[in-house]
């Protein structure tokens, strides 16, 4: 069974500082990889996704993520955070397409990002 | 284009009552799925559908039923609500391979 680990439950970053949120996955092959953001009381918004190809993926709101196959990781980064980035961040995986059958996402437990002024 | 619409937004049930959480999408997406979100647990997959008439169980299906009679709608039924089903429920849909999931705004359910 696939699983996703986000080692950091909470991270505090000063506004303007750089950010890296960690994500490790366990799966027999390379899954499809996603990062979502959730603001309080809101639904989930897709930041970026990786299916194949270039291992550095650009997303919305200035975020990027790098897929490292050797480390089974898909870490999210941002060069300079803004107070509006304070939210819950979820890493998720999906089994690659196999001609039908299983679907759905497996999520990590999330990282709560706090921005200090 | 409304995306994924979930109703109701809030609901309080008594133990043993039944109800249906509604999910509708207007993007002609093939794939739909239901998740529950509990504090410290992330989101967990309840049921999913890969097309009209086709559904299957996810990680935490017990106590929930689904059906998919149309492409647009994917309701989630609680037959006999239990306090353990107190949670926030999200519905999501995607078009096909290569598509990310679009999520609804959620239904906050409390079972007393």
């Amino acid at each position: 069974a696939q699983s996703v680990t986000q080692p950091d439950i909470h991270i505090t970053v000063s506004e303007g500082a750089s950010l890296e949120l960690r994500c490790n996955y366990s799966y027999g092959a390379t899954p499809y990889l996603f990062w979502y953001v959730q603001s309080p009381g809101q639904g989930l918004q897709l930041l970026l996704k990786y299916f194949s190809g270039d291992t550095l993926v650009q997303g919305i709101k200035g975020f990027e993520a790098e897929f490292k196959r050797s480390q089974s990781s898909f870490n999210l980064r941002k060069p300079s955070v803004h107070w509006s980035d304070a939210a819950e961040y979820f890493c998720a995986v999906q089994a690659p397409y196999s001609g039908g059958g299983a679907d759905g996402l497996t999520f990590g437990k999330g990282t709560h990002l706090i921005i200090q002024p | 284009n409304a995306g994924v619409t979930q109703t109701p937004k809030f609901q309080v049930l008594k133990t043993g009552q039944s109800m249906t959480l509604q999910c509708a999408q207007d993007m002609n997406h093939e794939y739909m799925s239901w998740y529950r979100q509990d504090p410290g647990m992330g989101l967990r997959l309840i049921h999913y559908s890969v097309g009209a008439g086709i559904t299957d169980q996810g990680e935490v299906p017990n106590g929930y039923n689904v059906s998919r009679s149309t492409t647009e709608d994917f309701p989630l039924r609680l037959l006999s609500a239990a306090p353990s089903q107190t949670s926030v429920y999200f519905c999501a849909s995607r078009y096909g391979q290569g598509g990310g999931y679009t999520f609804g705004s959620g239904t906050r359910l409390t079972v007393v």
Side-chain angles (χ1 to χ4, degrees):
Chain A
Q2 56 206 36
S3 65
V4 178
T5 301
Q6 294 181 245
D8 304 303
I9 298 174
H10 301 278
I11 281 189
T12 300
V13 178
S14 297
E15 190 169 14
S18 63
L19 170 71
E20 182 170 32
L21 302 183
R22 295 182 291 166
C23 173
N24 293 95
Y25 66 88
S26 175
Y27 192 69
T30 299
Y32 298 155
L33 297 156
F34 305 82
W35 274 99
Y36 283 87
V37 60
Q38 184 182 35
S39 298
Q42 302 298 312
L44 280 76
Q45 182 181 22
L46 178 66
L47 286 176
L48 45 77
K49 60 187 178 183
Y50 173 80
F51 284 6
S52 65
D54 192 347
T55 56
L56 186 62
V57 180
Q58 301 298 320
I60 63 171
K61 304 186 178 186
F63 286 93
E64 66 178 26
E66 185 172 12
F67 168 61
K68 293 186 177 180
R69 186 190 308 273
S70 61
Q71 299 176 18
S72 297
S73 68
F74 188 55
N75 294 349
L76 182 70
R77 302 193 295 244
K78 187 170 185 178
S80 176
V81 298
H82 186 262
W83 64 266
S84 60
D85 293 323
E88 193 83 14
Y89 291 80
F90 292 97
C91 181
V93 302
Q94 177 196 341
Y97 181 67
S98 59
D103 197 67
L105 292 167
T106 299
F107 283 86
K109 295 184 178 181
T111 296
H112 185 62
L113 176 63
I114 300 166
I115 306 297
Q116 279 185 337
Chain B
N1 188 345
V4 179
T5 302
Q6 291 185 238
T7 56
K9 293 191 181 302
F10 302 93
Q11 183 71 49
V12 178
L13 286 180
K14 293 182 178 179
T15 298
Q17 285 186 317
S18 63
M19 81 159 296
T20 299
L21 307 185
Q22 301 292 343
C23 176
Q25 52 90 8
D26 61 358
M27 299 171 284
N28 199 32
H29 285 179
E30 299 173 77
Y31 300 84
M32 298 185 74
S33 47
W34 276 101
Y35 302 82
R36 59 176 290 171
Q37 182 178 24
D38 302 293
M41 297 295 294
L43 284 83
R44 292 179 291 170
L45 179 65
I46 305 172
H47 285 284
Y48 64 90
S49 170
V50 298
I54 307 171
T55 65
D56 206 343
Q57 297 179 352
E59 179 186 355
V60 289
N62 292 342
Y64 307 96
N65 282 350
V66 293
S67 60
R68 184 98 179 269
S69 57
T70 67
T71 300
E72 295 78 18
D73 300 300
F74 190 43
L76 178 72
R77 297 182 184 86
L78 285 72
L79 298 180
S80 179
S84 60
Q85 294 178 303
T86 293
S87 187
V88 181
Y89 292 85
F90 288 99
C91 179
S93 72
R94 67 179 180 92
Y95 179 68
Q97 298 308 317
Y101 289 84
T102 299
F103 280 79
S105 58
T107 295
R108 184 175 293 275
L109 175 67
T110 302
V111 182
V112 297

